[in-house]
């Protein structure tokens, strides 16, 4: 055989021959010959040609592929290639396995005759990568004769051409949160809000849409990591990321996926799992995954964690199998409580989460006071007094303040409350000798309270976050401004008063971004919003004090898990429910790794009356531990009130390491623990001699640990995973070195450990995942053989087995769905969700499959990079160009804009503080970073729709010789709610004729339409109260007044409703008749007006005044 050569054109017409006179020599190509512009295809017609002299000598006809075929590989750097093909039957494509005249790829591999191969490579077209420019692009053609021509083995030849892609100015793109007619934010007059709703991904996708690059759009939407791209489908927008799906598992035959979807695509229906989307999409961002996970059934309802990426973040959800709904926004607002490791214990759902639990201890809504159990201080509007349902204080317990507030400390209290603190707080208006302000009481007699009493309970003391240490409290009977009082000190120690507890003092917290008072803790839910509360507090402190409750498991009537109390590190804990709402106390099982470092216990599994788990004591690496469930030495004298007797207190001897499988500090890393039955525990572990294999632990009078079988002989690992018991056998996945990763089963003995089936024959792996017993069979997801090309992996399919027969659940299943492996693997144990006997549940999306290629810009799926949300987002392929961003508010009187950070951008219009118009200049990165810190402040007096209109443009500084007048607009809408402003009373004394005049700044802005009888506008009515002391009053007129008390003539008290105009006419000439017998006395008329709350939100507002009258006889 002789070498294969590739000819390429040059400026020379010479033909040079090699020494044997038979093989042509390859001629080079000048590097500067091939030039194209950014995003412009380059035709490589007749650039490459292929010749094999051996094939010619053997006189093999060109139309025969046997014997005379060659293998051609075309690779493109910084781009893709396309090639026309007119006879598909004459070419065998290896990569990709399917090809058409519209296909493009950076790697093309095919087998064809020499003449057919020449027709293909002679028509190559090079497509530069989107937005790329530079001089290092290239196309290389490599040929192999596959050793078909005599002795000497395989001969190859290759040639490349370099391509210079010239830079072209690209239009900048701008993304905003919504369309012209929709408001994305709702705030009150005078309030400020950080503008959010879009991110860099949206701007990048907008750029691709404007360019019409549907292939790049599909690749970006569905890519899960930089080495993944999807099937190329012209797909509609719904279901583009992982959502909650269900699969029927009964019957055979076709498993049709969403006929309506494919009808809309004008394509024949494809076949996949029998998937049905459950309810609406949970994620409100079409390119971000909801990723449902931690599936658990309770009372015929499926519970799980999911992220809507909008209003709620990652929270607790539920489904009846047809619809989904939110259980509770545990961490209110768009941030995430991140529920994890859901488990059912005592007919309730327990899990770890970060949240706000203010409603579990506050006054219930159904019998709250007139202030909703949360009175705003009249001394400092940032401060609220929040009332507790119980009036017995639990010192050291964290009483969560509502969202956006934190529990005030004693130090803060002394800084905020500056009033004098002399004499006892009596609740009778203060100590008038010293407190001369006559201000409102903290809560005494307020909000409908009868003195200190509400709900038949006495409530005196509002506590601070550190009151259990300082003894400080705010008395309900003290003036609002009074400094904190102290519990009595007896024998040099503070004697804490736990009775007459009123609640806590909360203060507005602009800095607490997480909104959580305690960080991650153990939570419990009965499936309702009000029944979702914190079960216990393990790591007391602020929002950064995370107990990180994980791997929850029920064992012997108690709940066991890993948690960190902030003192001992992450260690095993035991929890027992102690009240009718599921709350209780968590107690340290054992401090396995003494001190503040963590043993990090995980995979808790009950078996043979013992609790097994993996942990690292710091001396032996991560090994297998076992426990009786008895409390360790730190809590040996503490019992469980609701579970006494079940756990004998025997000190630390109740928990111990079973064996040092990997000796020394090396870890055997036990995982996939499962109880085979009786006292036999199976698990995967690593030992140097055997690699990672299947092990067995059993307990009689002592623990025995031994290897079950070295499935992959020698030191290499079979890596058993997903151990699950079904029909008295344990099933798992493993690789024996001969069959790839396939399904195995065992009875716990070496002889009884066998391969169940080889789904993908040979060394290829079907990689079964998420083994789930369901409806008397074992279900799992796996890959089927890819067909003639094993180079192209396929998406997963649903399979089942009874231990004898293993098959796809449906006869026709063709891989059109991807399952979210990361979401399912996060749970313990990692399984598909199930509800009753009807269906399996899982996070899925329409199909994508990993192949060579991927995206290079933006955020790659699965990369761990989560794009931040901001007001607007900018993308410019020319990322270093200077851009100009204009921001305008329409109408200008509606509000202002403030940039809290510039991040390197420059302000060229406005000053960045309370501006109706702003202009910024900077790079794409600088402007995006600045837009993440844009505030909108609504002006008082304006209500309705405000529009922030943004436009982006090139400054053209880098393109003097080209046209670059490129710009784009986007908007963000804010609806400003009208807020009711309080009325005012003006009293003017003009000798003996005082004038009372009522005004309301917003009452005239509200009307109830037109009176059909009079044709006049109907304005809201106000409520006026006039009380004389001690005389009588008479109004000048009563027209338009509706009296609730009195009649307008010589009344001690007059209460009437009227428009503000009629009320002013009635009191314009008020007459007062004194009943005082004194020769000189000062009488009073008490005046109040209530606007009835008709002119905006926040309820009725009232004003009051006193008219002093001096009379003489």
């Amino acid at each position: 055989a002789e070498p294969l050569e590739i000819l390429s054109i040059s400026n020379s017409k010479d033909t040079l021959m090699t020494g044997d006179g038979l093989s042509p020599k390859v001629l080079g190509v000048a590097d500067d010959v091939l030039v194209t512009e950014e995003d412009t295809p380059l035709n490589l017609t007749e650039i490459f040609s292929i010749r094999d002299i051996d094939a010619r000598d053997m006189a093999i006809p060109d139309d025969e592929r046997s014997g005379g075929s060659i293998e051609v590989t075309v690779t493109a750097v910084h781009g893709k290639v396309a090639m026309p093909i007119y006879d598909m039957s004459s070419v065998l494509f290896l990569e990709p396995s399917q090809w058409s005249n519209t296909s493009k790829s950076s790697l093309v591999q095919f087998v064809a005759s020499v003449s057919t191969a020449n027709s293909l490579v002679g028509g190559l077209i090079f497509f530069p990568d989107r937005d790329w420019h530079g001089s290092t692009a290239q196309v290389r053609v490599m040929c192999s004769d596959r050793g078909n021509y005599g002795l000497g083995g395989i001969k190859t030849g290759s040639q490349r051409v370099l391509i210079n892609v010239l830079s072209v100015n690209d239009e900048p793109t701008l993304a905003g949160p919504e369309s012209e007619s929709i408001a994305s934010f709702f705030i009150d007059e005078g309030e400020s809000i950080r503008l959010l709703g879009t991110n860099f991904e949206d701007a990048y996708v907008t750029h691709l849409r404007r360019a019409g690059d549907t292939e790049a759009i599909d690749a970006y939407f569905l890519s899960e990591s930089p080495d993944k791209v999807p099937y190329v489908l012209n797909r509609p927008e719904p279901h583009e990321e992982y959502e909650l799906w269900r699969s029927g598992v009964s019957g055979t035959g076709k498993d049709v996926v969403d006929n309506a979807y494919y009808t809309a695509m004008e394509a024949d229906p494809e076949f996949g799992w029998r998937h049905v989307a459950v309810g609406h999409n949970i994620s409100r961002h079409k390119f971000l995954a909801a990723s449902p996970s931690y599936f658990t059934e309770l009372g015929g309802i499926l519970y799980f964690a999911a992220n809507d990426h909008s209003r709620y973040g990652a929270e607790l959800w539920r489904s009846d199998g047809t619809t989904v709904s939110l259980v509770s926004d545990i961490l209110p607002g768009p941030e995430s409580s991140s529920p994890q490791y859901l488990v059912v214990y005592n007919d309730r759902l327990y899990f770890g989460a970060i949240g706000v639990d203010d409603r579990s201890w506050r006054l219930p809504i159904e019998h709250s006071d007139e202030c909703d159990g949360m009175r705003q201080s009249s001394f400092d509007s940032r401060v609220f007094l929040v009332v507790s349902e119980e009036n017995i204080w639990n010192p050291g317990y964290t009483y969560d303040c509502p969202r956006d507030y934190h529990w005030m400390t004693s130090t803060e209290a002394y800084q905020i409350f500056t009033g004098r603190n002399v004499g006892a707080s009596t609740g009778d208006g203060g100590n008038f000798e010293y407190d001369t302000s006559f201000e409102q009481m903290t809560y005494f007699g307020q909000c409908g309270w009868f003195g200190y009493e509400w709900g038949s309970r006495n409530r005196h003391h509002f506590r601070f976050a550190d009151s259990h240490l300082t003894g400080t409290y705010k008395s309900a009977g003290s003036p609002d401004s009074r400094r904190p009082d102290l519990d009595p000190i007896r024998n040099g120690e503070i004697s804490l008063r736990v009775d007459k507890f009123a609640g806590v003092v909360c203060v507005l917290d602009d800095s607490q971004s997480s909104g959580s008072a305690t960080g991650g803790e153990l939570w419990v839910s009965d499936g309702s919003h009000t029944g979702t509360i914190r079960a216990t507090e393990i790591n007391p402190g602020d929002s950064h004090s995370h107990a990180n409750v994980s791997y929850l498991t029920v064992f012997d009537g108690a709940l066991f898990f890993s948690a960190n109390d902030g003192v001992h590190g992450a260690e095993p804990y035991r929890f027992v429910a102690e009240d009718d709402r599921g709350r209780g106390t968590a107690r340290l099982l054992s401090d396995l790794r003494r001190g503040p470092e963590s043993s990090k216990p995980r995979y808790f599994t009950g078996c043979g009356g013992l609790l097994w788990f993996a942990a690292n004591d710091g001396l032996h690496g991560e090994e297998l531990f076992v426990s009786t469930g008895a409390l360790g030495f730190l809590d040996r004298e503490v019992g469980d009130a609701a579970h006494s007797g079940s756990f004998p207190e025997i000190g630390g001897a109740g928990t111990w390491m079973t064996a040092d499988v990997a000796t020394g500090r090396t870890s055997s890393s036990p995982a996939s623990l499962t109880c085979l039955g009786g006292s036999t525990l199976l698990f995967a572990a690593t030992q140097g001699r055997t690699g990672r294999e299947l092990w067995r632990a059993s307990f009689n009078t002592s623990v025995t640990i031994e290897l079950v079988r070295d499935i992959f002989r020698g030191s290499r690992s079979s890596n058993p995973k997903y151990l699950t018991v079904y029909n008295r056998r344990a099933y798992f996945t493993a690789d024996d070195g001969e069959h790839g990763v396939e399904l195995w089963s065992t009875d716990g003995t070496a002889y009884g450990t066998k391969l169940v089936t080889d789904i993908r024959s040979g060394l290829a792996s079907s990689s079964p995942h998420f083994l789930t017993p369901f409806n008397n069979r074992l279900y799992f997801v796996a890959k089927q053989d890819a067909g003639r090309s094993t180079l192209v992996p396929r998406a997963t399919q649903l399979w089942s087995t009874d231990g004898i027969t293993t098959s796809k659940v449906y006869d026709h299943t063709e891989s059109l769905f991807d399952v979210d492996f990361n979401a399912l693997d996060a749970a313990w144990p990692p399984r598909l969700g199930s509800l009753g006997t009807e269906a399996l549940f899982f996070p899925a999306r329409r199909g994508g499959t990993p192949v060579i290629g991927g995206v290079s810009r933006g955020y790659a799926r699965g990369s761990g990079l989560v794009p931040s949300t901001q007001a607007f987002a900018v993308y410019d392929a020319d990322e270093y160009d200077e851009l100009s961003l204009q921001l305008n508010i329409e109408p200008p009187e509606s509000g202002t804009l403030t940039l809290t950070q510039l991040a390197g951008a420059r302000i060229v219009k406005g000053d960045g503080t309370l501006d109706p118009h702003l202009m910024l200049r900077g790079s794409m990165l600088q402007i995006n970073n600045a837009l993440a810190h844009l505030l909108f402040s609504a002006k008082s007096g304006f209500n309705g729709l405000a529009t922030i209109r943004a436009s982006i443009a090139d400054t053209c500084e880098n393109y003097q010789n080209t046209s670059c007048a490129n710009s784009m607009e986007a908007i963000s809408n804010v609806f400003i709610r009208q807020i009711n402003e309080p009325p005012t009373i003006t009293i003017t004394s003009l000798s003996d004729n005082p004038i009372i005049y009522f005004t309301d700044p917003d009452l005239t802005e509200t009307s109830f339409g037109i009176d059909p009888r009079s044709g006049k506008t109907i304005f809201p009515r106000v409520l006026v109260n006039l009380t004389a002391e001690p005389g009588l009053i008479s109004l000048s007129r009563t027209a338009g007044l509706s009296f609730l008390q009195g009649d307008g003539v010589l009344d001690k008290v007059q209460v009437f409703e009227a428009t503000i105009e009629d009320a002013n006419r009635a009191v314009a000439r008020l007459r007062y008749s004194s009943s005082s017998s004194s020769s000189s006395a000062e009488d009073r008329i008490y005046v109040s007006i209530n606007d009835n709350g008709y002119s905006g939100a926040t309820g009725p507002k009232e004003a009051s005044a006193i008219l002093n009258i001096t009379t003489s006889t």
Side-chain angles (χ1 to χ4, degrees), residues 386-401:
V386 185
V387 183
S388 168
E389 166 70 355
E390 303 295 333
N391 66 343
I392 301 298
W393 176 38
N394 182 4
Y397 176 78
T398 298
Y399 293 84
D400 285 17
C401 285

Side-chain angles (χ1 to χ4, degrees), residues 443-618:
Y443 231 115
F444 181 92
Q446 305 289 329
C447 305
W449 283 31
F450 184 73
Y452 286 108
E453 186 177 305
W454 177 260
S456 302
R457 292 178 177 175
N458 273 316
R459 308 170 190 271
H460 288 234
H461 310 132
F462 286 92
R463 293 292 181 173
F464 303 102
D466 54 357
S467 289
H468 62 295
L469 302 175
T470 63
T472 52
Y473 64 89
K474 181 78 172 165
S475 173
S478 68
D480 268 343
S481 66
R482 179 177 170 124
R483 285 175 289 177
D485 287 289
L486 291 171
D487 285 327
I489 298 177
R490 296 186 176 93
N491 299 322
E493 295 184 358
I494 300 174
S495 178
L496 297 178
R497 298 172 176 170
V498 297
D499 63 339
K500 299 181 180 179
F501 176 54
V504 302
V505 185
C506 298
V507 61
L508 186 65
D509 185 359
D510 295 328
S511 65
Q512 187 168 319
S513 59
S514 76
S516 169
T518 60
E521 295 288 352
L522 180 66
W523 283 69
V524 61
S525 177
D526 62 1
S528 68
H529 168 65
T530 56
T532 303
I533 60 176
R534 191 167 58 245
T536 190
E537 186 179 6
I538 299 168
N539 192 343
D542 59 17
S543 59
H544 302 290
S545 303
H546 292 286
N548 193 24
V549 176
S550 56
Y551 296 101
L552 280 72
T553 300
V554 178
F555 170 68
D556 198 17
L559 192 60
F560 290 82
F561 50 84
S562 172
N564 190 334
D565 65 359
V567 176
H568 302 98
E571 298 292 348
Y573 273 77
R574 184 184 86 198
F575 171 88
V576 175
E578 296 173 351
D579 67 14
D580 57 2
R581 300 194 68 185
R583 293 175 293 198
T585 304
R587 297 183 171 90
L588 184 66
L589 185 67
S590 182
D591 188 14
L592 299 178
R593 192 166 187 168
R594 298 295 174 85
E597 295 187 6
S598 301
S599 70
K600 298 180 181 179
R602 53 183 180 164
Y603 311 131
F604 292 96
T605 303
C607 188
L610 295 172
L611 183 68
W612 308 77
F613 57 94
N616 188 335
D617 64 2

